């Protein structure tokens, strides 16, 4: 598991948009915008909803403990500068990531176990990376509206359009993930992705309340 | 309603910052076993970070 590694000197922080530290005893709302002190591999700042950035920070901490290396963010959420990623990265929760030195299939299993709905994207269609998103809390019978009902806005292909168009207007990567499909054009057949998925995907969803309570108890570094 | 952009997967995604990787293009044959074993281990010893 942790191989004896600790987070005593963990340096990344979730902060307010103006750089002020988070008061973990009086935290922002889950949908409030905050920043992460880690930057993308191209030195862009990373921001997003409090829930999303806290989840990213937790994943980073877990990766340090497990692999001795954090998560590299190749493409951030709230990123509108990449035409090929329109409809996915333009709003909250969605990242392209990598864990240096870790086999991408191992990284995919690790991230999926910890509430990051993701897929290995690979040549020849893509350069190597993992594309994914913070799974929203489950609510009701429709999976694809889960971001919208909790107040999060995501790209049209991430939730099929619920949070941007008010209804399902196209394919949904969120639904594809629960259906073990690939989340790519023409690759939405349930069960078509034979790689490992958690037995109970809902059980992997990030618990913001627990994370905040833990931060309030032990601080940012621990 | 405005026209929707191309669905992801119809064009290559961003490659900025992506490392050269020497990895198998498909998941390992024991992907299910590896995932299930790690899932069980973490359930038995959850990491609160």
């Amino acid at each position: 598991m942790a191989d004896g590694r600790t987070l005593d000197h963990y340096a990344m922080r979730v902060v307010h948009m103006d750089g002020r530290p988070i008061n973990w005893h009086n935290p922002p709302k889950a949908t409030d915008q905050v920043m992460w002190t880690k930057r993308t591999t191209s030195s862009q700042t990373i921001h997003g909803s409090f829930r999303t950035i806290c989840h990213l920070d937790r994943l980073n901490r877990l990766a340090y403990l497990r692999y001795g290396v954090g998560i590299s963010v190749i493409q951030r959420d709230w990123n509108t500068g990449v035409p090929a990623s329109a409809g996915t990265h333009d709003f909250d929760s969605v990242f392209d990531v990598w864990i240096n030195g870790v086999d991408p299939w191992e990284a995919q299993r690790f991230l999926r176990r910890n509430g990051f709905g993701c897929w290995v994207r690979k040549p020849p269609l893509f350069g190597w990376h993992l594309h994914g998103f913070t799974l929203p809390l489950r609510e009701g019978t429709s999976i694809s509206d889960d971001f919208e009902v909790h107040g999060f806005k995501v790209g049209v292909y991430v939730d099929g359009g619920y949070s941007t168009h008010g209804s399902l207007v196209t394919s949904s990567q969120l639904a594809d993930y629960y259906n073990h499909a690939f989340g790519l054009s023409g690759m939405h057949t349930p069960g078509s992705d034979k790689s490992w998925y958690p037995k109970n995907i809902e059980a992997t969803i990030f618990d913001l309340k627990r994370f905040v309570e833990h931060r309030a108890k032990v601080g940012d570094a621990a | 309603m405005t026209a929707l952009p191309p669905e992801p997967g119809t064009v290559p995604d961003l490659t900025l910052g992506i490392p050269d990787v020497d990895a198998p293009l498909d998941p390992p044959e024991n992907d299910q076993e590896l995932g299930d074993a790690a899932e069980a281990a973490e359930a038995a010893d959850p990491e609160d970070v």
Side-chain angles (χ1 to χ4, degrees):
Chain A
M1 298 285 286
D3 250 359
R5 299 186 183 101
T6 71
L7 291 169
D8 291 346
H9 303 289
Y10 187 77
M12 298 304 147
R13 296 288 183 272
V14 181
V15 297
H16 289 281
M17 293 296 284
D18 61 5
R20 285 179 297 121
I22 299 292
N23 176 357
W24 294 104
H25 297 280
N26 183 24
K29 290 187 295 187
T31 53
D32 285 352
Q33 288 284 304
V34 299
M35 289 179 61
W36 199 29
T37 56
K38 193 166 189 171
R39 290 181 174 242
T40 70
T41 53
S42 54
S43 299
Q44 291 177 303
T45 58
I46 297 171
H47 67 92
S49 67
F50 182 58
R51 182 172 189 275
T52 293
I53 299 302
C54 285
H55 185 214
L56 201 55
D57 189 63
R58 173 172 164 77
L59 292 172
N60 198 54
R61 291 168 183 269
L62 289 171
Y64 269 119
L65 288 174
R66 175 169 291 275
Y67 306 114
V69 62
I71 290 174
S72 297
V73 176
I74 298 166
Q75 187 179 179
R76 62 185 181 180
D77 63 351
W78 297 98
N79 190 39
T80 55
V82 182
S85 295
T88 52
H89 286 261
D90 32 9
F91 297 108
D92 204 68
S93 301
V94 177
F95 299 91
D96 289 342
V97 303
W98 194 252
I99 305 177
N100 286 328
V102 177
D103 178 275
W105 303 105
E106 160 68 17
Q108 178 177 268
R109 293 191 298 271
F110 163 76
L111 292 167
R112 285 180 174 179
R113 283 197 310 276
N114 289 287
F116 192 68
C118 67
W119 298 268
V120 171
R121 299 302 196 215
K122 60 187 181 179
L125 191 56
F126 303 102
W128 283 99
H129 66 281
L130 292 113
H131 167 83
F133 41 81
T134 292
L135 293 174
L137 294 171
R138 278 291 7 260
E139 187 276 340
T141 55
S142 170
I143 287 172
S144 290
D145 70 358
D146 285 352
F147 281 111
E148 190 272 336
V149 296
H150 292 292
F152 298 92
K153 187 175 184 179
V154 295
V156 66
Y157 296 121
V158 179
D159 68 348
Y162 273 106
S163 64
T164 51
H165 294 66
S167 62
L168 192 70
V169 297
T170 186
S171 60
S172 160
Q173 291 186 334
L174 179 57
D176 270 10
Y177 181 72
Y178 274 87
N179 288 330
H180 299 194
F182 289 99
L184 290 171
S185 177
M187 302 175 73
H188 305 300
T189 304
S192 54
D193 180 2
K194 302 299 184 187
S195 65
W196 181 83
Y197 283 82
K199 285 186 174 64
N200 181 356
I201 290 175
E202 190 171 342
T204 69
I205 292 173
F206 173 60
D207 186 341
L208 175 62
K209 182 172 180 286
R210 180 175 172 178
F211 181 84
V212 167
E213 288 173 350
H214 189 65
R215 293 274 73 75
K217 182 179 176 183
V218 302
D220 275 312
Chain B
M1 182 187 305
T2 56
L4 293 171
E7 197 173 356
T10 57
V11 289
D13 208 337
L14 181 72
T15 56
L16 187 63
I18 295 174
D20 291 329
V21 178
D22 182 18
L25 286 175
D26 295 313
E29 289 185 2
N30 60 343
D31 201 47
Q32 305 299 326
E33 289 81 0
L34 290 170
D36 289 347
E39 186 178 53
E42 289 175 0
D45 184 18
E47 294 165 300
D48 208 358
V49 298

